[in-house]
């Protein structure tokens, strides 16, 4: 009897629960919006992205697109993204944790927020942090796979780069102004061979003095027979169209500080110097010349012992007992530089491995570093030269290449995605 009571109570409770479930509001189930190969796009994805886009329009004060048209565009985007993500998976492309964290940090910085503030804003907008991280990871995957696949489709010839570079340079020249220094020695058309020889020898000597670093203005004031002699040869600021033809033809494309000559004309012999340039983009790079001694640890030579050896060499060099170049020739295990006394030649420090680059940039002129470790082994390095190099030509060439690449990228990317669509099985479930 007691057992029947328990059973009846359980049945009553179950019936009540079932009755309550029947009377509850129906739960809307998610639906498949599209099938893409072996994957699916859910209607909830379409609705969420549609709402986000619509909200962005409204927040910007713009009229939101008609809902049916907007949902169609959103679904098309999701299908294209899905196909690219599948391509990334086939190619084994992955996003590292550090790459993801760095990207999120960059997003936060762009909005002048900390990462925690960015996450708080995301949660307020109704998206979880996990969903946000997943969306960023997918965007990175799409970017990487499209870059890999589209780069293969773009071939840029040297001739194309040269043509665009010529056009860019011409535009820059039109906008540029040059401050020109001028030294002239007169020589008329009836001058004797002896006069020609004397003027030629003198202009060559003046040019040698200019190239040796003598003051151009003082040389012009003392020697020039040109119209601006009293101004130290300074013609002031001119663009190519304003200056004499002789000047324009000589200095076209010239760089600040560059000297041209001797140049012969019907009036005499000339030396020109580009004193300064404005209105022209100049790109410079710091280059260093250094020398080093490399000792590589081995089974026989431990890390600690390699460092001790370099400590000894450094003390011997500083005391004057040994010469850096001779020690490098005898003991450095970098064969390319050892034969030259350890000298590496002029180079952009960014070409070196990080540990070596950081050490070279830290040093004062002629200073010798303490022993330090890089991926190659243990080093001591001495900075023997530093200069600023004009890399405008290389930068402009790279810019011209990038302009052509960017022009073609979106076109080729669209073609690649269309090819993915043509090869894929796609079934759109929702009504058009």
């Amino acid at each position: 009897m007691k057992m029947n009571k328990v059973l009846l109570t359980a049945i009553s409770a179950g019936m009540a629960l079932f009755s309550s479930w029947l009377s509850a509001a129906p739960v809307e189930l998610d639906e498949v919006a599209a099938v893409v190969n072996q994957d699916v796009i859910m209607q909830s994805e379409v609705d969420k992205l549609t709402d986000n886009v619509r909200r962005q329009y409204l927040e910007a004060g713009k009229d939101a697109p008609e809902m049916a048209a907007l949902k169609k565009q959103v679904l098309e985007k999701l299908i294209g993204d899905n196909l690219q993500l599948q391509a990334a998976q086939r190619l084994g492309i992955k996003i590292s944790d550090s790459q993801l964290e760095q990207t999120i940090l960059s997003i936060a910085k762009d909005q002048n927020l900390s990462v925690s503030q960015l996450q708080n804003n995301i949660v307020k907008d109704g998206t979880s942090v996990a969903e946000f991280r997943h969306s960023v990871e997918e965007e990175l995957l799409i970017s990487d796979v499209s870059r890999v696949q589209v780069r293969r489709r773009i071939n840029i010839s040297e001739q194309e780069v040269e043509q665009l570079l010529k056009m860019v340079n011409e535009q820059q020249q039109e906008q540029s102004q040059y401050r020109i220094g001028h030294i002239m020695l007169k020589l008329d058309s009836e001058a004797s061979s002896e006069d020609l020889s004397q003027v030629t020898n003198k202009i060559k000597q003046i040019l040698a003095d200019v190239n040796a670093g003598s003051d151009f203005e003082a040389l012009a004031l003392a020697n020039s027979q040109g119209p601006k002699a009293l101004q130290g040869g300074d013609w002031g600021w001119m663009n190519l169209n304003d200056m004499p033809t002789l000047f324009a033809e000589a200095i076209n494309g010239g760089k600040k500080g560059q000297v041209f000559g001797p140049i012969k004309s019907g009036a005499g012999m000339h030396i020109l110097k580009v004193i300064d340039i404005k209105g022209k983009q100049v790109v410079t790079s710091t280059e260093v010349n250094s020398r080093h001694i490399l000792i590589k640890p081995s089974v026989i030579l431990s890390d600690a012992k390699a460092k001790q050896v370099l400590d000894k060499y450094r003390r011997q060099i500083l005391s004057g007992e040994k010469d850096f170049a001779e020690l490098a020739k005898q003991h450095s295990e970098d064969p390319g530089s050892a034969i030259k006394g350890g000298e590496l030649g002029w180079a952009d420090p960014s070409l070196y491995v990080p540990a070596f680059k950081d050490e070279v940039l830290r040093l004062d002129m002629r200073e010798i570093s303490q022993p330090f470790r890089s991926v190659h082994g243990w080093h001591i390095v001495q900075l023997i030269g530093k200069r600023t190099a004009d890399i405008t030509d290389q930068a402009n060439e790279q810019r011209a290449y990038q302009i052509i690449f960017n022009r073609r990228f979106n076109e080729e990317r669209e073609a690649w995605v269309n090819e993915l669509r043509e090869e894929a099985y796609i079934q759109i479930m929702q009504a058009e």
Side-chain angles (χ1 to χ4, degrees):
M1 189 72 176
K2 187 175 179 183
M3 189 65 117
N4 287 340
K5 248 185 183 178
V6 172
L7 184 59
L8 284 171
T9 301
I11 291 171
S12 297
M15 290 296 291
L17 184 62
F18 182 67
S19 175
S20 172
W21 180 78
L22 286 175
S23 62
V27 177
E28 187 174 343
L29 298 177
D30 202 355
E31 297 178 350
V32 173
V35 178
V36 184
N37 291 326
Q38 303 301 316
D39 205 354
V40 295
I41 296 172
M42 304 305 293
Q43 187 61 44
S44 59
E45 297 177 68
V46 178
D47 292 342
K48 186 164 187 175
L49 183 54
T50 300
D51 290 342
N52 287 341
V53 174
R54 182 177 172 79
R55 185 174 67 251
Q56 289 169 11
Y57 267 91
L58 295 175
E59 288 174 353
K62 300 176 182 178
D63 293 334
E66 194 270 326
M67 186 60 74
L70 181 57
K71 284 194 173 186
K72 184 176 180 180
Q73 290 285 3
V74 165
L75 182 57
E76 286 297 311
K77 178 189 180 334
L78 290 174
I79 290 172
D81 288 355
N82 191 283
L83 288 169
Q84 292 174 80
L85 289 169
Q86 290 182 32
Q89 187 176 26
R90 287 195 299 271
L91 291 171
I93 296 175
K94 297 183 183 299
I95 303 301
S96 66
D97 290 341
S98 61
Q99 186 180 356
L100 180 59
E101 297 297 340
Q102 189 60 47
T103 303
I104 293 172
L105 179 60
S106 297
I107 294 171
K109 283 183 176 179
D110 287 343
Q111 300 180 29
N112 294 319
L113 300 171
S114 66
V115 172
S116 60
Q117 288 172 327
L118 175 67
Q119 291 174 341
N120 289 337
N121 289 349
I122 289 164
V123 172
K124 286 178 184 177
D125 288 339
T127 301
S128 71
V129 172
E131 287 175 324
F132 171 70
R133 289 175 63 87
H134 182 67
S135 68
V136 172
E137 183 179 12
E138 286 191 338
E139 288 295 327
L140 288 172
L141 282 168
I142 290 170
S143 176
D144 282 2
V145 71
S146 62
R147 188 166 56 249
V148 168
Q149 293 297 85
V150 175
R151 186 182 288 123
R152 298 173 182 173
R153 303 166 66 101
I154 299 176
N155 294 310
I156 300 173
S157 68
E158 290 183 8
Q159 184 179 5
E160 290 176 282
V161 174
E162 288 173 2
Q163 287 175 345
L164 181 58
L165 188 57
K166 181 180 178 182
M167 184 177 70
V168 170
N169 286 337
E170 287 174 353
Q171 291 173 348
Q172 284 192 351
Q173 293 294 351
E174 290 176 3
Q175 299 166 0
S176 301
Q177 287 190 311
Y178 297 82
R179 187 177 167 203
I180 304 299
H182 175 229
I183 296 173
M184 183 184 84
L185 298 184
K186 289 182 178 179
L187 188 68
D188 61 44
S189 58
E190 297 179 359
S192 66
S193 59
E194 185 179 349
D195 290 338
L196 176 60
S197 178
Q198 287 179 351
V199 170
T200 301
N201 290 336
K202 186 174 180 180
I203 201 78
K204 285 183 178 178
Q205 182 56 55
I206 296 171
L207 179 62
D209 292 340
V210 171
N211 288 331
S214 296
D215 183 78
F216 190 94
E217 183 179 344
L219 288 170
L221 191 60
N223 299 285
S224 181
Q225 297 170 321
K228 301 292 183 180
L230 290 177
Q231 289 80 35
D234 189 349
W235 278 68
W237 291 102
M238 300 177 290
N239 63 32
L240 291 175
N241 296 325
D242 296 332
M243 64 181 65
T245 304
L246 175 77
F247 291 16
E249 291 178 349
I251 64 95
N252 188 7
K255 299 174 182 177
K256 181 179 177 180
Q258 193 167 357
V259 177
F260 301 87
I263 303 167
K264 191 175 185 300
S265 76
M269 305 286 284
H270 309 259
I271 296 172
L272 298 171
K273 180 177 181 180
V274 181
I275 300 172
D276 203 354
I277 304 175
K278 63 182 179 181
K280 179 180 180 181
Q281 183 182 12
V282 177
V283 183
T284 60
S285 171
T286 298
E287 293 182 337
V288 297
N289 189 10
S290 59
R291 58 184 178 184
H292 78 137
I293 299 172
L294 170 66
I295 302 295
K296 296 180 179 180
S298 64
V299 176
I300 300 171
L301 188 70
S302 68
D303 254 16
K305 184 63 177 175
K307 181 177 181 298
Q308 287 174 12
V309 169
L310 287 174
D311 269 323
K312 182 182 74 173
Y313 292 163
R314 185 174 183 274
R315 288 194 303 270
Q316 291 173 332
I317 296 166
L318 292 175
S319 69
E321 181 185 348
K322 297 285 186 180
D323 177 70
F324 194 115
E326 288 303 315
L327 285 172
K329 287 177 182 178
Q330 295 170 18
H331 303 292
S332 180
E333 296 183 67
D334 175 13
S337 66
I339 196 171
K340 296 178 287 188
E343 188 169 341
L344 295 164
W346 291 101
D348 184 333
S350 63
L351 297 175
Y352 297 135
V353 295
F356 198 96
K357 178 196 74 173
D358 293 344
E359 198 65 32
V360 168
L361 291 176
R362 186 192 62 77
L363 294 174
D364 293 326
M365 196 62 64
R366 312 302 299 181
E367 183 182 0
I368 300 173
S369 73
Q370 296 286 345
F372 65 95
R373 186 76 154 85
S374 81
V375 293
H376 299 299
W378 283 89
H379 312 253
I380 54 172
V381 60
Q382 183 182 35
L383 180 63
I384 56 177
K386 183 181 284 190
R387 69 184 183 189
T388 300
D390 187 336
I391 59 168
T392 305
D393 291 342
Q394 300 96 305
N396 284 342
E397 185 175 345
Q398 181 58 38
R399 180 168 169 253
Y401 179 92
Q402 196 62 47
I403 287 171
I404 297 171
F405 183 88
N406 291 343
R407 285 174 180 172
R408 294 188 185 170
F409 184 85
N410 288 332
E411 180 183 333
E412 289 294 336
R413 183 176 181 275
E414 188 65 26
W416 171 61
V417 174
N418 286 339
E419 289 174 11
L420 289 178
R421 289 185 70 106
E422 290 171 4
E423 297 167 1
Y425 170 77
I426 300 172
Q427 184 178 3
I428 296 176
M429 310 301 288
Q430 67 178 23
E432 294 288 340

